[in-house]
Amino acid sequence: MALTARDGSDPALTGPDRLLAEAAQVARHADARLTAAINDLFLPDFVRPTDSQRAAMSNMLDRLITEIDHELRAGLIARLTEAAPPVLGVARIPIVRPIFDRAGVLKDRELVSLLLTRVEEHRICQAIRRVADIDPGPAPSVDLDVAPETEAMLQIAENRRSGSHGEPNLTMRDLPADLLHKLLWWAAAALRDYLDRSTGLPAAARDEALSAIVANRLATHNEGETLEAAAMRVAIALDGSDAMLFELFRAGRFSLFVAMMAVRARIDFAPAFMLAADPGIGALAVLLRAINASTQVAAPILLQMAAINRLSEAKLEERVNDFLDLEAVAAQDAVRTWRLDRSFRHAIADIGRERRAR
């Protein structure tokens, strides 16, 4: 078996000693596997990711971390020239991801939230076009009365959200600045650890090179290029009418549809997406009422989202009737918490989680 950075094996072990070491490793992992199985078995269905969600999120995460790994390694090779350890140029040997997995740093709420959002956005966009009998390829044209450069940036971000095979995609350019900051410095620390253990590269040269590469990459990052930021910028520039809202939804431009509702509700994109993507469509109904969407617009949107999420006709009828009975003031009061500063909302969630754990 060829040794890679992912194996975590001791290359000095051979024969029976290697078998014994692997048996010991299985024993060490047995409790973790059992704990994971217990957690998954008793996780309620409404919060458990589907198999397709899990696979898509895993694939996106693999590609993202590989992109970060390769970019930092290429930067090291360029800066260190002849002094660069040969392993840095061997792309098939992963360095950063195995260290991340051992350290557990990828269990990051912001990162996983972004992955889940991208998976759901992709699923809903594709499904809207299927339900509406629209070709699931590029979105139909919608006349956006905004500056050409503003619309172009959104179009580039929308095109980047799908990979070469039409799968959901996430790149470094799609990350919020604070999340990219964390991931790059974690990757630099992982490479530092690997080079310290595996090469004779002088510590000063190594640390100086890594610090410069990360600092330069962060300096060139433009958070305004992310899909969420570009969509919010376009939504702010649009008239925000019900007609435009419905046109964007029918065209499958779900992120811009969400951004327009976020602007009208005066909340951030992230909570607006969470409400709009609710599989039970109840939260979407509340958000539509909170922005005073007309019944002529809200009802067909709820109808299509019910079809996308395979809700029964009885459930759809119940949701539409509840929407009609819901007072706009009550709906606006329900979304008012989402107008708080994001850090404040996260702090409220953290405190609530701690209280529920007692």
Side-chain angles (χ1 to χ4, degrees), residues 285-302:
V286 171
L287 183 56
L288 286 167
R289 177 59 84 196
I291 64 172
N292 289 306
S294 68
T295 302
Q296 290 75 15
V297 166
I301 289 175
L302 292 172

Side-chain angles (χ1 to χ4, degrees), residues 34-95:
L34 178 59
T35 299
I38 291 172
N39 290 337
D40 186 70
L41 180 62
F42 293 100
L43 194 65
D45 287 341
F46 71 92
V47 298
R48 177 188 284 114
T50 65
D51 290 342
S52 60
Q53 284 177 326
R54 190 181 296 109
M57 292 168 68
S58 178
N59 290 336
M60 275 194 294
L61 184 59
D62 283 342
R63 290 194 297 270
L64 175 63
I65 302 306
T66 297
E67 179 188 6
I68 292 172
D69 187 348
H70 289 177
E71 181 160 327
L72 265 60
R73 287 160 71 169
L76 280 172
I77 292 171
R79 293 188 72 90
L80 297 175
T81 61
E82 293 85 359
V87 70
L88 293 177
V90 185
R92 63 183 175 80
I93 298 181
I95 295 177

